[in-house]
Amino acid sequence: EVQLQQSGAELGKPGTSVKLSCKVSGYNIRNTYMHWVNQRPGKGLEWIGRIDPANGNTIYAEKFKSKATLTADTSSNTAYMQLSQLKSDDTAIYFCAMSQPFDYWGQGVMVTVSS
Amino acid sequence: DIVLTQSPVLAVSLGQRATISCRASQSVSISSINLMHWYQQKPGQQPKLLIYRASNLASGIPARFSGSGSGTDFTLTIDPVQADDIAAYYCQQSRESPLTFGSGTKLEIK
């Protein structure tokens, strides 16, 4: 059974960074793309970008190019997303998702930006 | 970017048919492959894939869900609607990057 387990909720101060993790079990992430999607409170889904864990190649939505950095560790079968220069507008739930279409999703992690 | 437009709310009676539409700002089809997918999201949960490539039922999804459409116009149908179907429904295109979602349709019971 494929499972995506995300790290716990984060509280970050404005201007700082957080790094989220998404550990995959039941499937080798070398054989797929790992995506990240956010959802601001009460709003819809927004694609941030994706990484090819086999070679580290990334594609980002334009608005996240200087906000998010996607990496992956194939030895631990884990994808990561670092969010930098946090602002209150970054407060959202962040999901990792696998493949395309998104067959499998992590449970989501709440990131709250507050001083 | 490809913009996907959905109506915000749809109210239907239990046991009736719900038809949720999604219109793309440009074609999301390549040859005969329609790169439009549908997800269901219940409050406090992650989205769940319902339909992929416009009309293919994802694994474990009940047959009362179906999808149709091509080019720029797509439809998700739920027939009959059950109480457990109360959720938000999102279309999503994978024709080109950036991948985009519709703004979602909330299904409510009349």
Side-chain angles (χ1 to χ4, degrees), chain A residues 13-113:
Chain A
K13 294 187 187 304
T16 64
S17 299
V18 294
K19 189 170 185 177
L20 312 181
S21 66
C22 174
K23 183 170 178 59
V24 178
S25 58
Y27 196 84
N28 189 334
I29 64 171
R30 285 181 175 271
N31 299 324
T32 189
Y33 291 160
M34 295 298 298
H35 299 257
W36 291 83
V37 173
N38 80 354
Q39 186 167 39
R40 292 186 169 85
K43 302 299 184 183
L45 302 168
E46 187 174 29
W47 183 74
I48 296 170
R50 67 94 169 139
I51 183 168
D52 180 350
N55 56 27
N57 287 348
T58 52
I59 296 178
Y60 298 91
E62 188 66 34
K63 68 179 287 188
F64 291 102
K65 282 184 176 177
S66 55
K67 171 63 62 180
T69 302
L70 305 185
T71 57
D73 179 359
T74 54
S75 66
S76 63
N77 226 37
T78 303
Y80 299 91
M81 178 173 68
Q82 179 164 311
L83 298 170
S84 61
Q85 291 297 311
L86 290 174
K87 305 176 186 177
S88 58
D89 192 44
D90 296 321
T91 294
I93 297 172
Y94 291 84
F95 296 98
C96 57
M98 206 174 81
S99 191
Q100 180 52 219
F102 304 126
D103 301 81
Y104 299 97
W105 294 72
Q107 80 276 23
V109 58
M110 183 72 207
V111 174
T112 303
V113 181

Side-chain angles (χ1 to χ4, degrees), chain A residues 39 45 47 100-102 105-106, chain B residues 37 39 41 46-47 92 94 99:
Chain A
Q39 186 167 39
L45 302 168
W47 183 74
Q100 180 52 219
F102 304 126
W105 294 72
Chain B
H37 322 292
Y39 301 85
Q41 188 182 30
Q46 67 269 56
Q92 178 251 320
S94 59
L99 306 184

Side-chain angles (χ1 to χ4, degrees), chain B residues 1-38:
Chain B
D1 298 4
I2 298 177
V3 176
L4 304 180
T5 301
Q6 297 182 246
S7 297
V9 176
L10 177 66
V12 298
S13 301
L14 292 176
Q16 298 303 303
R17 174 183 297 177
T19 303
I20 298 171
S21 64
C22 176
R23 174 163 287 177
S25 59
Q26 62 191 78
S27 175
V28 298
S29 303
I30 300 177
S31 299
S32 59
I33 302 172
N34 300 299
L35 296 170
M36 183 68 79
H37 322 292
W38 290 94

Side-chain angles (χ1 to χ4, degrees), chain B residues 6-97:
Chain B
Q6 297 182 246
S7 297
V9 176
L10 177 66
V12 298
S13 301
L14 292 176
Q16 298 303 303
R17 174 183 297 177
T19 303
I20 298 171
S21 64
C22 176
R23 174 163 287 177
S25 59
Q26 62 191 78
S27 175
V28 298
S29 303
I30 300 177
S31 299
S32 59
I33 302 172
N34 300 299
L35 296 170
M36 183 68 79
H37 322 292
W38 290 94
Y39 301 85
Q40 175 194 67
Q41 188 182 30
K42 297 181 179 180
Q45 296 185 16
Q46 67 269 56
K48 178 196 296 185
L49 178 67
L50 297 176
I51 301 287
Y52 63 95
R53 293 197 292 276
S55 59
N56 298 279
L57 199 63
S59 176
I61 302 303
R64 65 177 185 276
F65 291 90
S66 63
S68 63
S70 65
T72 60
D73 291 294
F74 297 87
T75 301
L76 172 70
T77 301
I78 312 170
D79 189 11
V81 168
Q82 298 184 0
D84 187 53
D85 300 333
I86 301 309
Y89 293 85
Y90 295 90
C91 55
Q92 178 251 320
Q93 64 81 23
S94 59
R95 171 63 177 82
E96 64 179 41
S97 288

